[in-house]
Amino acid sequence: MDSSKRIVLGLTIVNLGVLLGGCKTNQNDNSESLKQARSLKEENSLLKENSRLKAKQRDLDRKENSSTPATRESESSSSNSTSNLNTVNNPDDAIALAKSKYGDNNGDWHWECLSNGSGSLVNGQYYFVKAISQSEIQNGSMTGTVKSLRVYTNGTIEEN
């Protein structure tokens, strides 16, 4: 075999090695993408379950508390004539006010107070309240957020 054929053969072998190495890298990239997709699906499932459990707990809490925020306000206004009916004293009041203004989209929206992760006031001024659509989550939305609100203690609501 003469030297030019050897060079061509050598270059052909090198090119094949590069191409095959690229295929393996592409397979690794696809494998990593599949792992990430599975991980996101698992996280989404956990978020859905967490949301469902929170909704169930809220329903139980509401059943235990016979008075609603509006009832508590009307009771306190009878003893204090300067009381504001839209005064927001806690996360449940903030949720109730937001839900009364925007509704629940025929039961699809689940309202949550996410202020500071503990339900307390943000900067001592407002509660951060969100409406989460269960149908949006079922259709693949990562968060399902349809409303994101600031509910101030004086009853003012601002959309984010």
Side-chain angles (χ1 to χ4, degrees):
M1 194 185 280
D2 68 1
S3 64
S4 64
K5 288 183 181 179
R6 285 185 202 163
I7 292 172
V8 169
L9 181 62
L11 289 173
T12 303
I13 291 172
V14 169
N15 282 338
L16 284 174
V18 169
L19 288 173
L20 290 175
C23 289
K24 187 172 184 172
T25 302
N26 193 19
Q27 284 178 332
N28 289 340
D29 290 346
N30 287 340
S31 176
E32 188 61 33
S33 294
L34 288 173
K35 286 179 187 176
Q36 288 176 345
R38 283 187 198 117
S39 177
L40 287 173
K41 284 182 180 180
E42 288 172 9
E43 286 181 38
N44 195 20
S45 294
L46 291 173
L47 286 170
K48 287 179 188 177
E49 179 65 12
N50 188 23
S51 181
R52 186 188 66 77
L53 291 174
K54 283 183 179 181
K56 189 174 185 179
Q57 183 62 46
R58 255 197 208 95
D59 289 344
L60 291 173
D61 291 345
R62 286 189 181 129
K63 287 178 184 175
E64 287 178 11
N65 298 331
S66 61
S67 66
T68 65
T71 305
R72 287 194 300 270
E73 286 300 325
S74 64
E75 288 170 355
S76 67
S77 67
S78 63
S79 62
N80 182 359
S81 61
T82 61
S83 175
N84 179 357
L85 289 178
N86 286 332
T87 299
V88 178
N89 297 311
N90 55 51
D92 287 338
D93 288 351
I95 290 169
L97 185 59
K99 189 174 181 179
S100 72
K101 182 172 182 175
Y102 296 102
D104 67 356
N105 197 31
N106 296 318
D108 181 51
W109 295 356
H110 170 74
W111 289 91
E112 291 188 20
C113 184
L114 305 173
S115 299
N116 293 340
S118 64
S120 60
L121 288 170
V122 175
N123 298 329
Q125 298 176 5
Y126 62 88
Y127 293 96
F128 182 65
V129 177
K130 291 179 98 174
I132 299 170
S133 169
Q134 302 307 304
S135 63
E136 288 294 322
I137 291 174
Q138 290 172 353
N139 289 332
S141 171
M142 289 298 288
T143 64
T145 301
V146 289
K147 289 279 183 198
S148 183
L149 310 171
R150 291 180 179 187
V151 180
Y152 290 86
T153 57
N154 68 358
T156 302
I157 298 176
E158 287 182 3
E159 290 194 48
N160 283 344

